[in-house]
């Protein structure tokens, strides 16, 4: 008899450069919430959704690429705010495409209301979807959408 598929989904949350400064600098743009608070929010939301959340923040493009490669063995989904690498990194885009792990892109700010250079995302084309502009709620909404996709839609 085939065994029941595991109900719990393992999700890797990736935070890109400078997001470690959240809540400490520029609260006018990115709000007062810290990265630690966002990670806690995601862990709690994950418990409600039957998802195990692991988080990584790095200011280094290669570390983010390595984390995406390593996710193949451990995680069923990726939630990513690549920060400024969103607009520059073909390497992160290629890594997501290479591992074929369903990925949701999130942004705290509405990148389309900001400078023109933020309007293009290299990640959008390889993500299953994007949520932008809701502050820390973008992460919660992104996690809900990703887990729903993995549990129901996929
Ligand atoms: O809105 C987002 O989530 C962004 O990904 C944030 C990036 C920005 O480059 C993207 O265009 C949009 C920047 C993250 C920088 O975070 C800071 C936090 C506190 C103080 C300074 C920067």
């Amino acid at each position: 008899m085939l065994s029941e598929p595991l109900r719990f989904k393992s999700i890797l949350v990736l935070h890109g450069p400078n997001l470690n400064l959240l809540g400490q600098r520029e609260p006018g743009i990115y709000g007062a919430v810290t990265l630690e608070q966002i990670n806690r929010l995601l862990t709690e939301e994950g418990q409600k959704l039957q998802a195990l959340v692991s988080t990584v923040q790095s200011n280094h493009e290669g570390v983010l690429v390595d984390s995406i490669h390593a996710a193949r063995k451990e995680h069923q989904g990726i939630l990513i705010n690549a920060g400024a690498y969103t607009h520059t990194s073909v390497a992160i885009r290629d890594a997501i495409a290479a591992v074929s792990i369903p990925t949701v892109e999130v942004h705290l700010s509405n990148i389309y209301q900001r400078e023109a250079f933020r309007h293009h995302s290299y990640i959008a084309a390889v993500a299953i979807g994007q949520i932008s502009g809701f502050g820390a709620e973008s992460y919660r909404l992104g996690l809900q959408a990703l887990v729903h996709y993995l549990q129901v839609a996929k």
Side-chain angles (χ1 to χ4, degrees), residues 18-19 21-22 25-26 30 81 83-84 87 107-109 118:
N18 297 310
L19 288 161
L21 298 179
L22 276 180
R25 300 269 191 286
E26 301 195 57
Y30 298 116
N81 182 353
H87 320 296
H107 297 285
L108 296 155
S109 62
R118 296 187 204 273

Side-chain angles (χ1 to χ4, degrees), residues 10 12 66-76 99 101:
S10 180
L12 175 64
D66 286 345
S67 300
I68 292 165
H69 292 177
R72 275 171 64 192
K73 295 205 177 82
E74 289 186 47
H75 305 288
Q76 285 82 54
V99 297
I101 298 173

